[in-house]
């Protein structure tokens, strides 16, 4: 009989930047089962958000995840604007889309780098991260911060992209385009990368549907799901672009989708910049006094898939209930399909292929007594309950 | 030369502990290693085990689940070790300090030698912080 071995990855593993525990149950080289544990990154964002005003919440949702720090405010703004029936000026729409797409570029570059790193191909890692820097410089020029841009507010954006900055943005986009060409060449033509990623971590169309995966993970398996097309928001209906898909569903296809998406993003930004020139400078927001009682849902296509926010408002200036669903939450479940049956050495890249973002994923369940509305069974009470049971059993024995 | 100076005289090896963060600080720390900032030219290396480290970088707010792990890591670390709290979260808990799983800022759990504020601090700031600490 083959012995089963447990290989833990994490919670603080040098391979991962974020804390997360994966347990691979292996027989010999082959992964037979996988389990994961979350909670190391839980911060209680939904609950925190309910204590804050709408304006403050924007800074909070931005900090759900640092890499997609636009998509959460994006979805939150969409939700609030639906709840309050607010129409934002065109200039704000363009600026929102520009920020969203710049973020997609830097996030995809980051992923390409990390994927290279996981494969032991550190040259790609260094390259990709080097050419990510000019994009971060753009963010610094536009918003004053390299990450967490604080650009969003209800009814528009906080800062304008003045017309005299457009030429600088175009210049950086040119650079990024050239470097993407180089990266695409390096990834697509490299026999080693082909050998390591083709046929690895395959997710079929049916798997994607079963696990409700979203974003590039789904698009790499031939499902053209993209919120920007399916339920257009901001400036996406105003520009021309196409959804990139691939058929194979393996790691290579996922890399392909992400790399080609960067070209689409560049083209979207260029069109948005053209659009900006036509709008009057400074018209970037409508004044919003208050948000009526009701609810709103909003989504946005983050670099990793659909971000969904639900906000219940009670007429006050803070959310009565705020529910968030991030893409990695559903994507991570596909590990059950993509990793099992792989060798251990392929498991890491299969894990990395969905570009999991653990900060988005952390969840916690709280039990409320529905009569009194009081919270029951917190951590301490659960421990007490368990201790009580032990005591009872002890007494019986 | 005291024992401490002797220990930190040569290349410093870093270990990174990411608590309940938003990931930006983690990425900025990793950014320090990439071509534009390149801390390795100062002999600094990110290592995979705390037992090899001279410096422990902690970022993110610490939640109840992280707390015992952080303590354990600190205990396993070879002494003397320098602890650097990175980012608003590492220094004070930042925006997450009111969360229901928050278990205290880093300095309530282990002794901290340097604080690098910012949300996230720029890689330059992280470098400057560590260099300042070295010259102390
Ligand atoms: S300090 Fe800011 S950037 Fe760093 S982990 Fe905390 S919220 Fe994120």
């Amino acid at each position: 009989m083959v012995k089963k071995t447990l290989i833990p990855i994490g919670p603080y593993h040098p391979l991962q930047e974020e804390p997360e525990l994966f347990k691979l149950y292996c027989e010999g080289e082959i992964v037979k089962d996988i389990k994961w544990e979350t909670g190391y990154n839980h911060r209680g964002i939904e609950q925190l958000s309910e204590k804050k005003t709408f304006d403050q919440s924007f800074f909070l949702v931005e900090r759900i995840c640092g890499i997609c720090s636009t998509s959460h405010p994006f979805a939150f703004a969409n939700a609030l604007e639906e709840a309050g029936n607010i129409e934002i000026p065109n200039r704000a729409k363009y600026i929102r889309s520009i920020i969203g797409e710049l973020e997609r570029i830097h996030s995809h570059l980051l992923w390409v780098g990390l994927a290279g790193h996981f494969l032991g191909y550190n040259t790609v890692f260094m390259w990709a991260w080097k050419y990510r820097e000019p994009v971060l410089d753009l963010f610094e020029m536009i918003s004053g911060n390299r990450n967490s841009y604080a650009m969003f507010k209800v009814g528009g954006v906080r800062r304008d992209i003045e017309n005299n900055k457009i030429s600088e943005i175009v210049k950086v986009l040119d650079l990024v385009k050239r470097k993407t060409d180089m990266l695409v060449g390096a990834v697509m033509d490299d026999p080693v990368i082909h050998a390591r990623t083709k046929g690895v971590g395959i997710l079929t169309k049916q798997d994607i549907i079963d696990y409700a995966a979203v974003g590039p993970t789904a698009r790499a398996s031939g499902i053209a799901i993209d919120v920007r097309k399916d339920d257009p928001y901001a400036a996406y209906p105003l520009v021309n672009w196409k959804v990139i898909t691939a058929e194979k569903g393996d790691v290579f296809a996922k890399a392909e989708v992400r790399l080609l998406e960067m070209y689409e993003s560049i083209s979207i930004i260029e069109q948005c910049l053209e659009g900006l020139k036509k709008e009057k400078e400074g018209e970037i927001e409508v004044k919003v006094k208050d948000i009526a009682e009701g609810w709103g849902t909003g989504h946005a296509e983050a670099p990793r898939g659909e971000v969904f926010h639900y906000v219940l408002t009670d007429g006050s200036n803070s959310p009565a209930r705020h529910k968030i669903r991030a893409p990695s939450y559903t994507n991570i479940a596909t590990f059950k399909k993509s990793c099992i049956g792989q060798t251990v050495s392929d498991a890491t890249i299969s894990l990395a292929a969905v570009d999991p973002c653990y900060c988005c994923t952390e969840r916690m369940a709280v039990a409320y007594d529905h009569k009194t509305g009081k919270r029951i069974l917190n951590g301490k009470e659960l421990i007490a309950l368990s201790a009580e049971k032990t005591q009872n059993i002890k007494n019986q024995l | 030369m005291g024992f401490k100076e002797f220990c930190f005289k040569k290349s410093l090896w870093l270990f990174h502990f990411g608590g309940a963060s938003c990931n930006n600080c983690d990425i900025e720390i990793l950014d320090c290693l990439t071509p534009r900032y390149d801390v390795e030219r100062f002999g600094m290396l990110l290592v995979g085990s705390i037992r090899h480290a001279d410096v422990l970088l902690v970022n993110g707010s610490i939640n109840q689940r992280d707390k015992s792990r952080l303590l354990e890591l600190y205990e396993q670390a070879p002494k003397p070790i320098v602890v650097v709290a990175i980012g608003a979260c590492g220094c004070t808990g930042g925006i997450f300090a009111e969360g229901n799983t928050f278990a205290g800022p880093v300095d309530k759990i282990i002794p901290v030698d340097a604080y690098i504020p910012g949300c996230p601090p720029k890689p330059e700031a992280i470098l400057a912080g560590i260099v300042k600490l070295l010259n102390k």
Side-chain angles (χ1 to χ4, degrees):
Chain A
M1 205 193 100
V2 199
K3 244 173 65 190
K4 260 202 184 163
T5 337
L6 168 76
I7 301 185
I9 306 183
Y12 302 100
H13 195 271
L15 192 69
Q16 300 167 314
E17 282 69 54
E18 302 160 78
E20 182 89 346
L21 176 58
F22 289 105
K23 293 176 180 162
L24 306 179
Y25 296 88
C26 308
E27 271 174 22
E29 265 281 307
I30 306 294
V31 179
K32 285 287 171 195
D33 198 6
I34 175 168
K35 287 210 174 97
W36 57 92
E37 253 177 50
T38 61
Y40 302 99
N41 213 332
H42 188 273
R43 288 150 290 161
I45 302 233
E46 289 176 3
Q47 179 231 21
L48 274 176
S49 164
E50 284 153 23
K51 287 190 209 156
K52 292 188 188 298
T53 64
F54 291 126
D55 268 347
Q56 292 170 330
S57 278
F58 273 98
F59 301 113
L60 180 72
V61 293
E62 195 167 62
R63 281 160 182 79
I64 292 174
C65 169
I67 312 175
C68 20
S69 61
T70 298
S71 25
H72 283 285
F74 218 142
F76 186 48
N78 285 345
L80 286 178
E81 279 153 19
E82 188 189 292
N85 242 332
I86 299 158
E87 185 60 36
I88 64 168
N90 267 354
R91 197 176 175 90
K93 285 186 185 167
Y94 284 125
I95 294 178
R96 282 185 178 183
S97 287
I98 291 171
I99 299 289
E101 292 310 306
L102 278 175
E103 179 185 80
R104 192 176 321 276
I105 295 174
H106 101 70
S107 172
H108 282 350
L109 277 173
L110 185 143
W111 178 83
V112 172
L114 284 181
H117 176 61
F118 288 144
L119 288 174
Y121 206 153
N122 269 335
T123 318
V124 172
F125 175 41
M126 292 296 167
W127 269 352
W129 282 56
K130 182 170 170 197
Y131 299 122
R132 195 178 143 255
E133 291 294 330
V135 184
L136 297 184
D137 287 347
L138 271 190
F139 276 128
E140 199 170 348
M141 177 182 88
I142 295 170
S143 73
N145 204 0
R146 287 159 52 90
N147 317 74
S148 302
Y149 329 107
M151 286 292 277
F152 282 62
K153 66 189 286 188
V154 196
V157 289
R158 276 175 206 280
R159 297 179 199 86
D160 200 359
I161 299 181
E162 291 89 7
N163 287 351
N164 57 14
K165 283 181 183 161
I166 290 180
S167 60
E168 179 66 28
I169 301 179
V170 172
K171 217 163 56 191
V172 174
L173 285 182
D174 273 348
L175 174 81
V176 172
K177 207 189 279 173
R178 265 183 287 129
K179 297 305 170 189
T180 315
D181 287 342
M182 189 186 81
L183 270 179
V184 170
V187 174
M188 300 287 189
D189 299 339
D190 191 298
V192 181
I193 292 191
H194 280 233
R196 278 303 311 276
T197 57
K198 279 204 166 157
V200 172
I202 297 181
L203 291 169
T204 61
K205 236 178 187 168
Q206 194 54 45
D207 294 340
I208 299 292
I209 296 171
D210 290 348
Y211 285 95
V214 286
T217 312
R219 292 200 282 276
S221 302
I223 295 185
I225 174 176
D226 193 319
V227 188
R228 290 174 295 169
K229 265 280 191 271
D230 303 339
D231 181 14
Y233 53 96
Y236 295 112
L238 308 175
V239 294
N240 257 331
W241 61 282
K242 57 180 193 292
V243 179
I244 304 282
T245 54
E247 290 304 321
K248 295 267 170 53
D250 52 5
V251 178
F252 188 77
K254 291 186 184 105
E256 195 185 330
V257 165
R258 291 203 174 93
L259 284 169
L260 297 182
E261 256 178 24
M262 280 166 47
Y263 290 114
E264 290 302 316
S265 297
I266 293 173
S267 132
I268 294 176
I269 299 173
E270 282 168 350
Q271 294 175 49
C272 286
L273 288 174
E274 285 308 311
L276 266 193
K277 285 184 193 157
K278 293 195 204 104
E279 306 289 334
K280 209 172 127 235
E281 259 186 48
E283 271 181 9
I284 51 168
E285 55 169 325
V286 288
K287 284 266 173 285
V288 180
K289 273 258 170 66
D290 48 19
I291 290 178
E293 198 178 327
W295 56 274
T297 58
H299 37 200
E301 183 76 15
R304 289 156 186 75
E306 179 198 5
V307 164
F308 175 85
H309 280 235
Y310 164 87
V311 186
L312 182 71
T313 54
D314 53 4
S316 70
N317 66 346
S318 64
R321 175 79 179 99
H322 187 179
K323 169 90 190 106
I324 302 163
R325 201 191 76 161
S328 296
Y329 190 55
T330 52
N331 284 349
I332 279 186
T334 61
F335 292 163
K336 277 262 182 213
K337 272 279 179 271
S338 61
C339 290
I340 293 174
Q342 306 274 330
T343 58
V344 179
S345 49
D346 284 341
T348 44
I349 185 67
S350 306
L351 294 180
V354 301
D355 201 359
C357 175
Y358 310 120
C359 329
C360 293
T361 310
E362 304 293 355
R363 285 295 178 277
M364 192 180 76
V366 177
Y368 284 98
D369 184 348
H370 71 156
K371 275 196 207 114
T372 59
K374 266 205 197 119
R375 187 172 151 191
I376 45 175
L377 294 186
N378 59 20
K380 277 191 197 119
E381 282 166 338
L382 277 177
I383 293 173
L385 215 66
S386 159
E388 199 183 299
K389 185 166 180 188
T390 319
Q391 198 58 44
N392 286 346
I393 292 176
K394 242 193 215 159
N395 294 346
Q396 280 166 18
L397 289 179
Chain B
M1 189 191 297
F3 178 61
K4 216 166 170 178
E5 283 89 58
F6 173 73
C7 291
F8 296 131
K9 204 174 72 176
K10 293 198 174 153
S11 302
L12 287 187
W13 284 7
L14 320 173
F15 181 83
H16 166 220
F17 176 96
S21 71
C22 81
N23 212 356
N24 252 342
C25 285
D26 313 57
I27 297 288
E28 293 293 52
I29 291 172
L30 213 59
D31 226 25
C32 294
L33 297 174
T34 54
R36 187 184 281 184
Y37 302 102
D38 195 15
V39 283
E40 285 186 18
R41 71 200 142 120
F42 302 124
M44 291 178 194
L45 190 66
L46 213 55
V47 291
S49 164
I50 183 73
R51 293 179 201 274
H52 300 157
D54 303 297
V55 180
L56 171 60
L57 308 175
V58 187
N59 76 289
S61 68
I62 305 297
N63 69 15
Q64 282 157 15
R65 209 160 180 193
D66 295 332
K67 189 178 170 186
S68 56
R69 272 105 183 158
L70 180 59
L71 268 176
E72 201 170 311
L73 270 178
Y74 186 75
E75 267 156 29
Q76 287 176 2
K79 308 289 173 328
I81 187 146
V82 171
V83 181
V84 183
I86 292 181
C89 290
C91 297
T92 62
I95 198 162
F96 306 122
E98 289 159 18
N100 53 0
T101 49
F102 184 62
V106 179
D107 57 4
K108 290 261 158 58
I109 301 168
I110 57 175
V112 173
D113 297 275
Y115 300 85
I116 303 177
C119 185
K122 293 176 72 169
E124 287 98 331
I126 299 179
L127 289 186
I130 297 178
V131 169
K132 245 186 210 163
L133 192 70
L134 280 187
N135 292 336
K136 210 174 77 177

